Amino acid sequence: MAASGASVDQRFCFQEVFDSFKLCLSENKEVYLEHYVDGWRGLVKFLNCLGSVFGFIAKDAVNKVQVLVALMSGESGSQYATIQSMVKYELDNGLVDVTKRGSHPESGCRTLLRLHRALRWLELFLERLRTSGEDGKTSVMCAEAYNESLSQHHPWVIRKAAGVAFCVLPGRPAFFEVMNVGSTEQVVAMLGGALPLISEVYNITEELYAQHNLLDLP
Ligand SMILES: CCCCCCCC/C=C\CCCCCCCC(=O)N[C@@H](COP(=O)(O)O)[C@H](O)/C=C/CCCCCCCCCCCCC
């Protein structure tokens, strides 16, 4: 684990992730893409602290973040301010491959859907982490959360590789240390504050995607 030797800005702090998801929601419950992506950047930082066995997962998350950042900073960037505006813009302009992969293999809608599914895994995992005891096994919590969510969208080979990676997750105390929040009580309290936010962002996105039949984008 590289946490103690990491330089200041490489060191993960869960507070940053919490702050990003707090900033995600506008007054009228739109989801700001910039903060959503920042939340994921923070989570990838955490993954990088866990060692190279998680490299293939971090790489995929980084790729997805980069696709969204490129869209947000491209010539139609203003259309990518919120997830709602992105969906409207891409659908109105035929920029989404809806039934099979074609000329828009990296649309914002498709790319975000992959992160959105992973957000459900995160929600389930953090809830287990929050409510578990001191000797709780993070590998088991992670695998259970994965099996209840993301795994349904992954082929056998990815499920296998993910299962191997989960086995080397540190125990709950070491895991909490990497989160860099403070005492166990402080971590649990922060998780209690972060989870409703993550859950709200997830539910709003899920409803939006369901309304537009986007939940199975290839
Ligand atoms: C401080 C709080 C504690 C929790 C911190 C967790 C940090 C997690 C950081 C990132 C999570 C990984 C997000 C992965 C996104 C995966 C998106 C995806 O499903 N991609 C697949 C499909 O993409 P396309 O091919 O359709 O473009 C792709 O095939 C996946 C490849 C990589 C494998 C993904 C396995 C995900 C396992 C769940 C994450 C485990 C992290 C464990 C760390 C605690």
Side-chain angles (χ1 to χ4, degrees), residues 154-172:
H154 289 163
W156 182 87
V157 65
I158 296 283
R159 293 203 302 270
K160 237 23 211 170
V164 170
F166 298 160
C167 289
V168 304
L169 279 172
R172 190 175 183 262

Side-chain angles (χ1 to χ4, degrees), residues 31 33 40 46 50 68 83 90 111 142 151 153-154 161 165 168:
V31 181
L33 209 41
W40 278 106
F46 181 90
L50 295 178
L68 293 173
I83 297 182
E90 290 197 341
T111 303
C142 190
S151 76
H153 305 285
H154 289 163
V168 304

Side-chain angles (χ1 to χ4, degrees), residues 115-196:
L115 294 178
H116 168 67
R117 290 169 177 164
L119 198 64
R120 176 68 182 150
W121 160 80
L122 183 71
E123 188 188 351
L124 294 171
F125 175 58
L126 294 184
E127 179 55 17
R128 281 173 165 81
L129 204 55
R130 187 182 75 83
T131 54
S132 62
E134 184 120 325
D135 56 354
K137 285 200 178 315
T138 53
S139 53
V140 173
M141 296 180 230
C142 190
E144 286 176 356
Y146 177 72
N147 291 337
E148 278 178 33
S149 56
L150 255 187
S151 76
Q152 301 150 30
H153 305 285
H154 289 163
W156 182 87
V157 65
I158 296 283
R159 293 203 302 270
K160 237 23 211 170
V164 170
F166 298 160
C167 289
V168 304
L169 279 172
R172 190 175 183 262
F175 202 89
F176 277 9
E177 211 173 295
V178 184
M179 287 174 77
N180 194 17
V181 168
S183 67
T184 298
E185 292 70 28
Q186 286 170 309
V187 178
V188 168
M190 186 168 288
L191 287 175
L195 271 160

Side-chain angles (χ1 to χ4, degrees), residues 8-42:
V8 176
D9 82 325
Q10 278 177 327
R11 198 158 171 219
F12 175 81
C13 179
F14 187 67
Q15 178 75 50
E16 288 173 23
V17 173
F18 185 12
D19 290 343
S20 298
F21 282 105
K22 227 190 279 183
L23 291 170
C24 260
L25 288 175
S26 76
E27 266 177 30
N28 59 344
K29 304 288 181 194
E30 295 209 11
V31 181
Y32 292 120
L33 209 41
E34 181 191 349
H35 298 299
Y36 189 91
V37 160
D38 276 349
W40 278 106
R41 280 203 187 101

